[in-house]
Amino acid sequence: MKWELRKLWGSPMLVVLALMLCLANGWLYYDHATAGNFPPMATLYTRSTQELEDMEEELLERGRYGTEIYDDTLLTGDIYQESRLVGDTLERIRAVEEFPQTMAQLQAQARAKLNTGLFGTGDSFETRSLRLTDGVYETVRQVQPQVCFFGGVETLLDYRLADVFGVLLALAAALALFAQEREQGTLCLLHPTLRGRLSLYRDKGLALGAAVLFLALVLYGTCLGISAGLYGLGDLSLPVQSVYGLTACPYLLTVGGFLALFFALKLLWLLALAGLFALLANALRSSASLVAAVLLLGLSFALGTLPSHLAQSLNLLGLGDTYRLFDGLLFLNFFGLPVARLHATLGVCGVLLAGSVAGAGALFVRRSPVTAARRSPAGLSLGCHVHPMGHEGYKLLCSNGALLVLLLLVAVQVLSYRDFSGPQGPKETYYRQYSSVLSGPPSQEKASYLAQQEEKLEQIQQQLAQLQASAQDSPWLIHEIGELAQKLEAREPLNQAKTQYEALTSSQSYIYTTPYELLYDAGGQAANRIDLAKLLLSLSLYLPFFFSMERETGVGVLIETAGASRDVMRRKRLVAWLFALVCTAAAFLPRIVAVYQNYGLPELTAQANSLARFAALPDVLPLWGVLALTMALWGLVACVGCVVVEAVSAKVRSPLPAALLCVLVLPGLTLLVFPL
Amino acid sequence: MPELELRFDNVKKNYGDKQALRGVSFTLNEGIYGLLGPNGAGKSTLLNILTGNLPATSGQIFLGGEDVAKMGRRFRAKLGYMPQQQTLYPGFTCERFLYYIASLRGMSKARTKERVAELLHLLALEEVRKKPTRALSGGMKQRLLLAQAMLDDPDILVLDEPTAGLDPRQRIVVRNLIASVALHKIVLLSTHVVPDVEYIARELVLIGDGEVVCQDTPQNLCQGMEGQVWDVEIPESDLDQMGQYGLVSSLRRSGSGVAVRLIADAPPPYPSRTVEPTLEDVYLHTFGDEGGL
């Protein structure tokens, strides 16, 4: 095994990748842990509930008069923020103090559902689940959680970047140990040795396991260390229900026991994934196994968005969401049998690990180390042409799996924005109604319409005041009062529409702002960055294999002899840019389409500066121009990404390390330069 | 049409301190030339420089008196190259690969169609024309690489180990094919298999330690060794002593003793007779004292 480990750690690229990911993990975790309001909250936890309640009351009083908003003696320096912070802290403390009541309520709900018979009868899954739920909460009721600040533990719970880095490193290690060696041809030397294939496989498997465990310990250990350093881990002997976010945990565990189990499950999950990657690496070539792994992870992401507990919990990514195993009780329906999510996760991880290890072993031992000549069905005569661009396009799309990457990106994006929703409710509905009338250039009719609407609301206001005055004697008027009050909710949207309308110049148009705000406000920009990261991730994973194709296959020698190296490289670059532009459309259009389906994109030909957000833009630029420019900008970024991938591929001569390096550099850079 | 002439003029190549080529000069005219030499002699370096895959440290190559470096594309248009490594796109079918090379060489579709059909037939690849190259056997890949080198009917055909991996029948077919197309071409064929060039080569260029050792016709090379190759009958116990009389070319059991083919200037002190030299004897005589393998 030590020789296999030496092979792994002897690979400079893998070591550099591991180092960079571990450092990035530490940095990003520190950012994550200090981003919230935990530092001042830790101070507030030292005070009693009564003191906090008094503080909250005092802050509310000061806020009501609004005379002194800023106060350096406060932890946050701002009475409103301080008020929210104290409120949050009190809510957390109350959640722990009211634990017995919460448990009793959950148990009562389960019993009520059971007794009504509405949620299943006899031995149905629902009935069995409810019976089990009742039993579980009966046991947990005896737990006595205590108020203690567990900020260090809480920051660990929802941080999943360490998981991502762990998966990436497990994939790199599995490919390096299995796929790369097969492709380099060294397996041909190792297989016939005296020790035999099985012992070689065992050594490789153990080395992979050891490497994954070591890297996982470094990644999660870093997080734990930073947490402990920043906030401490609290009293580890207290029941886990003392941790905010875990008050509904259905297991009798101490905080220390929970942490041990939390990390043990993460390790088991990473080992199972490493086994799966080893299986893929034994079954496919390295480029194909990388694409297959990405495809599986993408599919898992898509499954996670489905409205099914089974799909959400037991996909490859969901299995690693260890926090969700403890934050409440959830039974999964296994052919009518209720299985707790924790047990199901353990079982699936175990089966995945054992199956992958056995499958990879069988392939390793039985399969010829020489890359087998695979039979493929005869193709059409599509290649019988002499258009060089056509051949380069074929190399990209069909010969090297770009189509798969593109389809995966489309699938991920479509699923991501399938259930897209923006602002809703009566206010939005009123605003949309006003906007549909006001839409377009300003006119006398529209100004009159606004005045009419204002007058109408004024009348409603007067009616409401009259009804309220007489309501004390006539309680049956409450219903009418409610209806009028509801109608008055139109006042705020009307004011918004009026302000917007009055700010227009004669050449500008009134535009329903919601869809454009969704695309360009802070939330929209954050979504754009995530989409950009997905786009660059797709390009990083695929293009290194495309750019190094000539070197890897040796055909570059023939191309050089034909004097066509520069031409081929130029065409490849062009094809890669076209691919990047198609990927850009695949990454960004689904969101625009989702916004369009929900809110429409009105007045696309109107001047963009009609919207306050684009007030600085020149008159000649219409809204469609802004959309087109935005897409062009992302397309340009994607093309720059292609240039970076090409440069990295030229420097790092092997495509797999180049792909991993690009994965780290490009999407990582996007998220670091444009933090969410 | 004037006869083609390819001239290497003092071509040198250094890898750091190591001199891979120490000033190689020779001239080739139309016909087949065998480039023979042990591993590491500089054959592949020379072919890579000729095909533009490696820059020379100094020296020039002239085609018809014109520097090929200055000819650029005009020279490459006349060049067909079959490398030693099986360099193919695994996802391309045989046919697509040939069409791709044709597109790089700027051939018209009609001519490509004609040449592809012809070469696939000549090299017995018709049945696998729609198969991806990854599904081909080593011999098929070798023939496909030969086909791409000959696709544009180049004036200069550079073949690096063209018969490696072929069975004896295919080897003869390929050898004859090369001989048949070489009428108005310069074919430079690098090989370790001496019989491949023995019958078809106009001249052999023997290259060793980065230098041209000699260049002559196979007949002249063999004639030059007449009287130096001996068939010697010795007892088995004396086999170890043969090294002091000359180079052992081959040996076989003969009756109670061993029959040794010996290359030596003088007859050994055993019953012996001179035999006709072969190119293998020439090769061994030229490079035999370079030690080991």
Side-chain angles (χ1 to χ4, degrees), chain A residues 610-646:
Chain A
S610 304
L611 291 175
R613 180 168 294 282
F614 302 131
L617 294 179
D619 288 351
V620 288
L621 192 62
L623 266 176
W624 67 262
V626 173
L627 281 175
L629 277 176
T630 312
M631 284 298 284
L633 177 71
W634 295 132
L636 185 69
V637 174
C639 289
V640 171
C642 285
V643 174
V644 173
V645 173
E646 189 187 332

Side-chain angles (χ1 to χ4, degrees), chain A residues 171 175 179 183 277 279-295:
Chain A
L171 178 62
L175 292 182
E183 284 183 2
F277 296 147
L279 177 67
L280 291 176
N282 275 291
L284 304 162
R285 289 173 298 135
S286 73
S287 53
S289 48
L290 183 65
V291 171
V294 173
L295 210 62

Side-chain angles (χ1 to χ4, degrees), chain A residues 487-507:
Chain A
K487 282 182 185 170
L488 279 180
E489 283 189 43
R491 185 177 290 283
E492 195 184 316
L494 182 66
N495 285 341
Q496 185 188 346
K498 191 182 167 198
T499 313
Q500 196 185 327
Y501 182 83
E502 284 171 353
L504 294 176
T505 63
S506 57
S507 62

Side-chain angles (χ1 to χ4, degrees), chain B residues 91-120:
Chain B
F92 276 37
T93 62
C94 295
E95 202 170 46
R96 182 185 280 275
F97 186 72
L98 291 177
Y99 271 86
Y100 175 62
I101 296 294
S103 77
L104 295 181
R105 303 193 73 93
M107 290 169 67
S108 72
K109 187 174 178 184
R111 185 166 140 70
T112 305
K113 193 176 174 187
E114 185 189 323
R115 285 293 290 163
V116 167
E118 189 183 344
L119 286 165
L120 288 177

